[in-house]
Amino acid sequence: MTKITIEEFLQQDYSPQTVKSYMFAINHFLKLNRKAKRYKYKNIVEYMEEISQQQPNAKYRVVILSAIKKYYDYLVMSGYRADHPCKKLNIKVNSNQAVQVQDLFSSEELQLLLNRENRYENLDTRNSVLLSLLIYQGLTSDEIIRLNVKDIDLDSGTVYIKSSANLNNRRLQLLAKQILLFSKYISEVRPRMLRSSTDKLIITKLGKPIAVNSIHAMIEPLKPLFPDKSLNPKTIRMSVICNWLNEKELPLEQVQELAGHKWPGTTEKYFKADSQQQRELINRYFPL
């Protein structure tokens, strides 16, 4: 079997601009480190120490480290290595830019959003599909309205998210309970609601493609559940990302890919302070 190149590996998940940036950092790393394929954790720490002396911008260093991590992801995927030497290596960015995670919602609170029933069965099923994409996959409103029926693969249990100017494309796993729900919606409910020809997955009660303002309107009646917090599609997505990092403790790179963030620094903002203190001691190598 022909193995893909590292550039082709990156192209599977990232935009052309991100691939270009990562390839530049990887090639520079390999040029200066001829034995990089066999490097251990301490070798990469030493390299990043050198970078920190040359480049005071923490965000720039985050990009370099992320590119290096993808290089070792590629080696593991290709069978060149069985271990990843720097998967847990992390760079601390300016904490002043952190998301105010105390204002967000826990996974248990987000589950409450699915308990609301609609007097119309069709809308109840449609709303459950839409809400599940918000609270399980953390999609934006714009991503939801751009979904087509063909983007849902019930056989593999996945949803494909197209790239945008701000976010990368990605294929996300659906939960088992979502697959049954989506199957009912696509095969039974949506055809009953449809009034015009459209490939869009989510449609209104009038059978037309849903708009962003309609998603916000659907969330509006749920706001009394949390009178002291701001509930909207954006804060729901932010909560999901925060919970991936802090409740489930998923690796930063995995959360970056799940969220579609182009840069790991964007994902890092969602670390809670106590969780961030438990991360790798590499932070001490990069004082701000």
Side-chain angles (χ1 to χ4, degrees):
M1 184 177 70
T2 303
K3 292 185 177 180
I4 63 174
T5 65
I6 186 169
E7 187 167 2
E8 291 170 334
F9 174 68
L10 294 173
Q11 288 170 347
Q12 295 175 351
D13 298 309
Y14 298 104
S15 67
Q17 185 57 47
T18 302
V19 171
K20 182 178 179 180
S21 298
Y22 277 17
M23 286 302 302
F24 179 84
I26 290 170
N27 288 331
H28 185 70
F29 171 64
L30 296 179
K31 181 179 179 180
L32 297 178
N33 301 272
R34 300 294 184 182
K35 299 180 180 179
K37 190 178 288 188
R38 299 189 297 276
Y39 267 13
K40 297 184 181 299
Y41 180 90
K42 67 175 184 178
N43 300 121
I44 301 166
V45 169
E46 290 169 356
Y47 176 72
M48 292 308 299
E49 277 192 281
E50 294 175 6
I51 294 296
S52 69
Q53 295 171 7
Q54 304 166 12
Q55 179 51 255
N57 189 317
K59 287 186 176 181
Y60 181 77
R61 300 200 304 271
V62 165
V63 173
I64 294 175
L65 180 56
S66 296
I68 293 172
K69 286 183 176 182
K70 296 310 294 185
Y71 166 68
Y72 288 107
D73 280 339
Y74 171 74
L75 293 185
V76 172
M77 183 277 299
S78 302
Y80 291 115
R81 290 186 66 132
D83 65 314
H84 192 303
C86 59
K87 196 167 188 65
K88 294 184 178 180
L89 204 58
N90 195 23
I91 293 175
K92 185 176 180 180
V93 294
N94 194 336
S95 59
N96 292 331
Q97 299 174 344
V99 171
Q100 299 303 307
V101 297
Q102 70 275 7
D103 298 329
L104 301 179
F105 305 92
S106 67
S107 296
E108 290 76 13
E109 288 175 321
L110 292 178
Q111 284 289 338
L112 296 176
L113 303 180
L114 290 172
N115 294 338
R116 175 202 176 205
E117 293 185 2
N118 197 296
R119 58 177 175 166
Y120 300 108
E121 181 184 356
N122 289 348
L123 287 183
D124 193 41
T125 303
R126 192 279 316 265
N127 289 354
S128 294
V129 167
L130 198 160
L131 282 169
S132 75
L133 288 168
L134 288 171
I135 71 172
Y136 295 135
Q137 282 74 40
L139 302 192
T140 67
S141 296
D142 183 63
E143 287 175 330
I144 289 176
I145 68 171
R146 292 192 294 118
L147 282 177
N148 292 329
V149 174
K150 67 179 182 180
D151 294 325
I152 307 297
D153 188 335
L154 294 175
D155 291 331
S156 63
T158 59
V159 52
Y160 177 72
I161 315 302
K162 305 177 188 69
S163 64
S164 65
N166 299 317
L167 297 170
N168 290 324
N169 67 299
R170 56 210 188 274
R171 188 175 295 278
L172 302 177
Q173 200 70 36
L174 296 171
L175 301 185
K177 56 186 174 182
Q178 283 182 287
I179 297 175
L180 295 174
L181 175 66
F182 280 51
S183 178
K184 177 181 177 181
Y185 173 71
I186 292 172
S187 63
E188 301 175 25
V189 174
R190 185 178 176 277
R192 290 201 298 263
M193 297 173 63
L194 208 55
R195 296 291 181 273
S196 60
S197 178
T198 177
D199 295 325
K200 296 302 179 185
L201 176 67
I202 306 297
I203 56 177
T204 68
K205 62 182 179 181
L206 298 178
K208 297 181 179 180
I210 199 168
V212 168
N213 61 345
S214 296
I215 296 178
H216 282 260
M218 191 198 75
I219 299 295
E220 193 70 28
L222 301 173
K223 290 186 175 182
L225 287 171
F226 309 103
D228 299 325
K229 292 184 178 182
S230 176
L231 180 68
N232 55 62
K234 181 178 180 180
T235 57
I236 292 174
R237 170 176 161 81
M238 293 171 68
S239 299
V240 173
I241 298 170
C242 179
N243 294 336
W244 281 336
L245 277 173
N246 302 293
E247 286 186 12
K248 296 185 177 181
E249 297 185 343
L250 299 180
L252 175 69
E253 293 73 28
Q254 183 179 352
V255 175
Q256 180 192 351
E257 293 178 6
L258 290 172
H261 291 154
K262 291 181 180 295
W263 307 107
T266 305
T267 314
E268 275 197 332
K269 296 177 183 179
Y270 290 86
F271 276 133
K272 287 183 179 179
D274 56 347
S275 295
Q276 189 162 333
Q277 290 166 3
Q278 297 170 11
R279 302 288 168 169
E280 290 295 320
L281 293 178
I282 186 62
N283 286 341
R284 75 175 182 269
Y285 291 111
F286 303 106
L288 296 175

